[in-house]
Structures are given as C-alpha cells and as structure tokens.
Amino acid sequence: MSEHKDNQLQQVLSLLADGEFHSGQGIAEHLSVSRAYIWKLMQQLQELGLDIESVTRKGYRLAKPLSLLDHEALNRDTNFDCQVLLTTDSTNQQLKGQNFAHHKVVTAEYQSAGRGRRGRQWVSPLASNLYWSLGWQTHMPVQQLGGLSLVVGLAVANALTKLDIQGIELKWPNDIRYHGKKVGGILIELSGDAVGGLQVIIGVGLNIDMHPQAAQAIEQQWCNVNDIFEQQALPKKSRQQILIACLTELENYLQTFEAYGFAGFLDEWQQKDECMDKKVVILQADKDIKGIGAGVDATGAFLLQTGKGIKPIYAGEVSLRLRE
Ligand code: BTN
C-alpha cells in the first residue's frame, strides 16, 4: 500500500476511533476527497477486519471504539525514532536494507505477512495487538548475539512487571509466556554488515486484545495481556502505554547487553525460565532429543540435561517443547 493511502486510512480511522457516527460528507471534507472515495476507504478498512456500521443519514461508526497508536506521543516518551504505519507486510521487513537505521522503531496496526520464527506466520489483526521492530546497530561480534533474544524477552517481561503484571515467564529462545500460554514472541534478523557494526532487526509481537476468531490459525495455546490484567484484577493499560514501557526497558537492557554481554543476565533469566528443571524435548530437523531443562549458559545456549551429561543447544533451527 502507498504511504499516501496508508495515511488516508489512518486519518479515517482516527476520526472513527471514538465509536461515534461520522457523516460521509464530514469525513470527505476532512480529507479533501469525494464521498465516493470515502466509501472505497471504508471498504478497505472492512477488508482489514474492522467492523464498521453504515447508517443512512447518520454516517459511519465503529462497532467498538479504538485506541490507536500515536506516533507523536511515542517519539516524545521514548528515545527512539518511531514510525507508526496502519498496514505493512512485516515491520521487520520494513526495516531491512536501505530503510535500516539505528534506534528506528517501526510499528504497525496490522501486518499482512507477519513473520514468526522458523518461517511461521505471526497472526497480526488490526488495532488489537502490538507489532514492532527496532533497528539496532552494534559492534558486538555476531557470536555474542546468541543471548540477544533472551535479553529482549527479559526487557519485555520486566516492562510488564512494571505495569504490575506478575508471573510472566520466558521459554528459550524467544517466547514470552503466561501460565503455559504464549503472549508474545521475538524475531531477531540481521539486516547486513555495515561499516561501523552489525545491523540487527529486533521484532516483537505482543498479544494485547486479540479476538479468538482472528487467532484461529494459531496452533498453540495463547493469551492476551488484557486477559492477564483482568485475571489479576488490574486496571487495563493502553497499547500505547504498554509499548512505551517495553521500549523504555529495551533501551536499558540493550545498553547493558552491549557493554557486558549476556553473562550478567543469567540470574534474571533463571528466575523467569519456564523450562528450568522441567521435562523438555528439543525438536531438530533430523532427530528429537529428550532431557530436562538446566538453564542457559553465558552465551545464551540452552542447557539440556541428558543421560550423557549436559548438552548445550544453540538456537538456529531448533524448537523447544515442554513434555508432560
Ligand atoms: C515468534 O514467536 O515466532 C516470533 C514472533 C515475532 C513477531 C513480530 S511482530 C513484529 C515483527 N514483525 C514480524 O514480521 N515479526 C515480528
């Protein structure tokens, strides 16, 4: 979608976000376009999954009000250069190549081709969750980046703790979990070697208020941050507040990681490690290995206790599952 069209759809959505009726004429004047064109924009918003009611002589309204991400507030309240898109293929993809910049954050209300680890899809319905990617240029040698997704997980877990949520756990190497259900995931990709360091793209998806109908393609147990607020009788926070909390923690955690590596995070990881002392299986392309989770080492490798001793497992193309 062109930037201009994305912008027009964002303007329409900002008007409709209050859940009140807005006349086609009024919206058309606001955008300086025809009413027929507004009708087309409404069709497109509906195709993106929005429930829009259209009533003669009253206009258009959303079935339920929305709170959209506000790029000015994000830029004011974080130290990153933040861009908010209405739709994109994948925020990680958006930061690749020429578009890469250190400390640039791309976030979107909707991803048409959200990516998970190991080629999986990341379900990304409109204005329900958080999807963001951060460009991070670093002088760390690539061999030390094994602990990066763990550090990002710790930063997000800590941000949620600061919003009073208790009980967030992490599953090596990239899952943010609550009571055995996935609440978020991390996808780290390298954009290239630049003069002056490696270009790393840190992508994070966090389920906030996803409708179960939108989540039918998800093959594992999942939950929303809003479900946790409810279960713990906490007041809900907006997606904007949650994103600011996550980015603030991420900035601090990345600084420490770059200065001291992963070793300093070992204790914190151990406290949040869902697999510690649990029966697990490592799924590899050729064979599965069963064992007991024994934490991680100073490089971020998973430690699997097997009958033959402790075996380090490196992220790459493996999956970790808990066993009954
Ligand atoms: C996983 O758990 O498999 C990783 C999920 C990562 C999803 C995020 S959403 C923002 C960014 N853009 C993407 O396409 N993927 C990541």
Side-chain angles (χ1 to χ4, degrees):
M1 181 182 300
S2 73
E3 210 172 299
H4 181 60
K5 173 62 80 54
D6 193 275
N7 211 281
Q8 287 179 324
L9 288 172
Q10 271 197 48
Q11 286 185 56
V12 174
L13 202 49
S14 310
L15 287 175
L16 294 179
D18 59 9
E20 303 292 331
F21 274 111
H22 293 267
S23 72
Q25 185 63 35
I27 304 174
E29 280 167 18
H30 187 82
L31 269 77
S32 308
V33 296
S34 68
R35 281 179 66 174
Y37 187 71
I38 292 298
W39 184 82
K40 277 194 193 150
L41 293 180
M42 293 298 171
Q43 302 285 112
Q44 286 179 17
L45 287 173
Q46 279 169 334
E47 278 161 24
L48 291 174
L50 270 191
D51 196 353
I52 302 175
E53 207 184 330
S54 161
V55 176
T56 321
R57 278 190 288 278
K58 281 188 162 177
Y60 302 99
R61 83 167 169 190
L62 288 180
K64 92 175 194 217
L66 283 179
S67 160
L68 296 167
L69 295 170
D70 170 355
H71 105 273
E72 275 170 22
L74 285 175
N75 281 309
R76 188 190 59 222
D77 298 340
T78 71
N79 290 323
F80 297 118
D81 173 17
C82 300
Q83 184 182 15
V84 178
L85 300 171
L86 183 68
T87 69
T88 186
D89 47 0
S90 145
T91 55
N92 268 30
Q93 190 61 32
Q94 278 296 316
L95 266 179
K96 288 218 160 145
Q98 294 298 312
N99 280 334
F100 181 91
H102 180 61
H103 275 194
K104 177 170 164 185
V105 170
V106 177
T107 178
E109 297 284 7
Y110 172 91
Q111 295 186 119
S112 57
R115 293 203 286 260
R117 222 178 130 248
R118 307 188 71 215
R120 292 197 195 96
Q121 170 202 14
W122 188 257
V123 172
S124 310
L126 185 72
S128 322
N129 298 328
L130 284 171
Y131 323 111
W132 83 87
S133 301
L134 165 67
W136 187 59
Q137 189 149 337
T138 177
H139 290 277
M140 289 179 88
V142 70
Q143 311 84 275
Q144 279 181 30
L145 292 184
L148 179 58
S149 71
L150 284 59
V151 169
V152 175
L154 286 172
V156 173
N158 203 37
L160 295 175
T161 308
K162 286 197 169 170
L163 296 175
D164 296 328
I165 286 181
Q166 286 172 20
I168 292 288
E169 292 188 308
L170 299 170
K171 183 160 85 61
W172 183 91
N174 71 319
D175 282 11
I176 300 157
R177 316 242 304 172
Y178 180 73
H179 287 187
K181 295 179 179 172
K182 183 151 171 165
V183 68
I186 296 150
L187 180 67
I188 309 273
E189 294 183 279
L190 294 186
S191 177
D193 299 305
V195 183
L198 275 174
Q199 296 182 337
V200 184
I201 297 170
I202 299 170
V204 182
L206 209 49
N207 302 328
I208 308 291
D209 192 21
M210 180 156 53
H211 196 283
Q213 210 175 337
Q216 279 167 358
I218 302 181
E219 284 162 356
Q220 53 184 311
Q221 297 236 66
W222 63 275
C223 74
N224 282 317
V225 170
N226 276 358
D227 303 335
I228 311 177
F229 281 129
E230 231 163 77
Q231 277 176 32
Q232 302 190 359
L234 294 166
K236 282 192 183 140
K237 302 284 186 306
S238 67
R239 288 184 304 138
Q240 176 90 12
Q241 287 170 304
I242 298 169
L243 181 54
I244 289 170
C246 289
L247 291 175
T248 307
E249 289 309 303
L250 200 48
E251 189 190 0
N252 294 334
Y253 275 70
L254 288 176
Q255 262 175 20
T256 311
F257 179 60
E258 190 160 43
Y260 306 108
F262 181 68
F265 293 102
L266 276 168
D267 284 350
E268 199 176 332
W269 177 267
Q270 193 156 343
Q271 284 162 31
K272 301 225 157 35
D273 182 356
E274 190 192 17
C275 293
M276 190 69 189
D277 295 329
K278 304 251 175 68
K279 286 183 183 173
V280 297
V281 56
I282 299 284
L283 309 176
Q284 292 174 316
D286 50 346
K287 65 173 170 63
D288 299 346
I289 323 175
K290 288 183 179 162
I292 308 280
V296 295
D297 71 12
T299 69
F302 184 78
L303 296 177
L304 184 72
Q305 176 76 59
T306 68
K308 294 182 194 148
I310 287 191
K311 183 176 166 57
I313 308 283
Y314 302 93
E317 284 301 293
V318 304
S319 267
L320 168 65
R321 295 269 187 285
L322 283 152
R323 290 186 286 142
E324 287 311 308

